[in-house]
Amino acid sequence: MSGEGDRPPHRTRVWRYGTLETDGFPAAEISDYLEQDDTLVWLDLCAPGPDDLKLITEELGLDPHAVEDAVSEHERAKLDRYQGHLFLNVYSTRLDAASGELTTVEVSAFITERALVTVRQNQGFDIDALVRLWDDQADLARYGVAFLLHGLLDLVVDQHFDAVQVLDRELEKLEDLLFEERISDRTMQRRAFALRKSLVLLRRVLLPMREVVNTLLRRDLHVVPTEMGPYFQDVYDHTLRAAEWTDSLRDGVSNAMDTRLALQNNRLNEVMKKVTSWAAIIAVPTAVTGFYGMNVPYPGFSRQWGFLTSVLILVISSIGLYTIFKRRGWL
């Protein structure tokens, strides 16, 4: 079992009057900073222990049920409203193009009037990318916690969108292989199944995000100021586009496999026509040799011309059948 020193260090930051003031301070000082005027605080907890959760609960007055959800796995993407704060749960995604496997990382957040606390169970979420995004949009820090919340949602939805784009490219590659006979059906089926599985998982993550972002845009929550409205609306539009894209890609995977099955059936029909045609060609000589092989008198029996006649019938009938089948495209 991991010890206290094995967990990644917590990260903290304080903005004051829209400007980054300090970072790396102890989490126990959060309440001291919040007592100051016009301050904005961020705390990131990675794999928090009971003491960490107890500390932030006391520092920010969080609801115990929300804290329990933050450390519970497989919670759906959602936004819950509690007395004095909001609880957000979203999923970061990353797609491995080689295997077609989608990896998700659960990220929770407590949203108060002037503080954002992010909680992660592992280091799968790129927290450094989130910090860089905040630094690139530092001019928005004057809008308070909406600035931090927008950066988090924007990064998560962009990751969703990137995963959809990779899936789209992989589906195009799959479609290009449909008519390749050198690719085994097992390989095609395994690849299509992996893509379909990832699409289902991504869709399960994406669909609740529409409700999450749409709820944040509601004015009665007083979380998103008017000036930040267009930024959150842009995130909402990206969420809608990604969700609609996954629906079309899911249909695309199904169509690709249906096409592959149709090609298999057509190929099987071609093979059956050829096998049947050759069987018919072979059947006529077999019938002729069987007739002339009977131990009963027949025209030309025990005569050289009788043998030549049977050979001539064999050659003419075989060539005739071959010509007919070839013209009809059966051979």
Side-chain angles (χ1 to χ4, degrees):
M1 184 174 180
S2 299
E4 189 75 24
D6 297 329
R7 292 200 299 267
H10 305 325
R11 301 185 64 169
T12 52
R13 272 193 170 194
V14 167
W15 291 262
R16 192 170 187 188
Y17 298 111
T19 303
L20 180 62
E21 183 174 283
T22 185
D23 59 5
F25 60 88
E29 298 179 6
I30 289 179
S31 57
D32 297 331
Y33 279 104
L34 291 176
E35 290 177 357
Q36 302 176 18
D37 295 333
D38 203 4
T39 54
L40 176 63
V41 177
W42 169 59
L43 167 65
D44 175 66
L45 301 176
C46 185
D51 294 339
D52 301 318
L53 298 174
K54 181 179 179 181
L55 175 63
I56 63 169
T57 301
E58 295 174 350
E59 289 289 305
L60 298 175
L62 303 177
D63 188 282
H65 295 92
V67 176
E68 183 181 349
D69 285 347
V71 295
S72 300
E73 296 183 357
H74 309 302
E75 292 285 332
R76 70 186 298 271
K78 62 180 180 178
L79 180 68
D80 291 337
R81 190 173 185 176
Y82 293 91
Q83 185 68 34
H85 68 90
L86 300 175
F87 173 73
L88 173 71
N89 198 71
V90 295
Y91 284 87
S92 166
T93 57
R94 184 181 63 84
L95 184 77
D96 184 0
S99 64
E101 182 179 359
L102 184 74
T103 304
T104 62
V105 178
E106 194 169 358
V107 182
S108 302
F110 299 100
I111 308 161
T112 69
E113 186 177 357
R114 290 189 293 140
L116 178 73
V117 179
T118 53
V119 180
R120 303 170 288 138
Q121 296 305 314
N122 56 61
Q123 300 187 64
F125 179 68
D126 190 357
I127 200 68
D128 292 325
L130 178 59
V131 173
R132 288 194 298 270
L133 183 59
W134 284 336
D135 290 339
D136 293 340
Q137 300 177 345
D139 57 311
L140 300 178
R142 64 183 184 274
Y143 297 120
V145 72
F147 152 68
L148 299 178
L149 186 57
H150 169 264
L152 174 61
L153 292 175
D154 191 31
L155 178 61
V156 168
V157 173
D158 281 348
Q159 291 175 342
H160 295 169
F161 210 82
D162 291 341
V164 175
Q165 288 180 316
V166 175
L167 284 169
D168 185 60
R169 290 196 296 269
E170 293 305 310
L171 177 58
E172 289 181 355
K173 294 178 182 179
L174 183 67
E175 291 172 342
D176 291 339
L177 295 176
L178 286 177
F179 299 94
E180 292 286 343
E181 295 186 5
R182 58 185 177 83
I183 303 297
S184 68
D185 294 330
R186 185 183 294 262
T187 301
M188 289 287 295
Q189 291 172 355
R190 184 180 295 113
R191 186 63 173 171
F193 177 77
L195 293 180
R196 187 177 180 86
K197 182 179 179 181
S198 295
L199 279 168
V200 170
L201 177 58
L202 182 58
R203 190 171 184 271
R204 190 181 304 143
V205 169
L206 267 172
L207 288 183
M209 286 296 295
R210 297 185 298 186
E211 181 183 348
V212 168
V213 181
N214 190 42
T215 302
L216 285 170
L217 287 169
R218 286 167 42 189
R219 295 185 178 181
D220 61 318
L221 287 181
H222 305 292
V223 175
V224 179
T226 305
E227 296 83 359
M228 289 292 295
Y231 294 92
F232 279 83
Q233 186 63 50
D234 182 64
V235 174
Y236 181 68
D237 292 341
H238 275 74
T239 303
L240 287 181
R241 286 180 57 195
E244 293 171 355
W245 203 348
T246 55
D247 288 337
S248 63
L249 289 180
R250 190 174 59 168
D251 293 339
V253 173
S254 298
N255 292 336
M257 292 313 301
D258 289 343
T259 302
R260 183 72 176 185
L261 290 175
L263 291 173
Q264 288 178 345
N265 291 333
N266 291 337
R267 194 176 300 117
L268 180 61
N269 290 336
E270 292 295 325
V271 172
M272 290 303 299
K273 283 195 299 184
K274 292 180 180 180
V275 171
T276 304
S277 299
W278 283 113
I281 293 175
I282 295 173
V284 172
T286 302
V288 173
T289 54
F291 177 80
Y292 279 91
M294 293 187 298
N295 295 321
V296 295
Y298 57 86
F301 182 72
S302 298
R303 302 291 181 89
Q304 184 177 7
W305 66 267
F307 170 74
L308 294 177
T309 301
S310 65
V311 171
L312 187 62
I313 293 174
L314 289 176
V315 173
I316 293 175
S317 61
S318 298
I319 293 176
L321 288 173
Y322 180 84
T323 303
I324 293 173
F325 293 155
K326 192 71 173 177
R327 287 179 178 177
R328 294 186 177 183
W330 293 2
L331 290 175

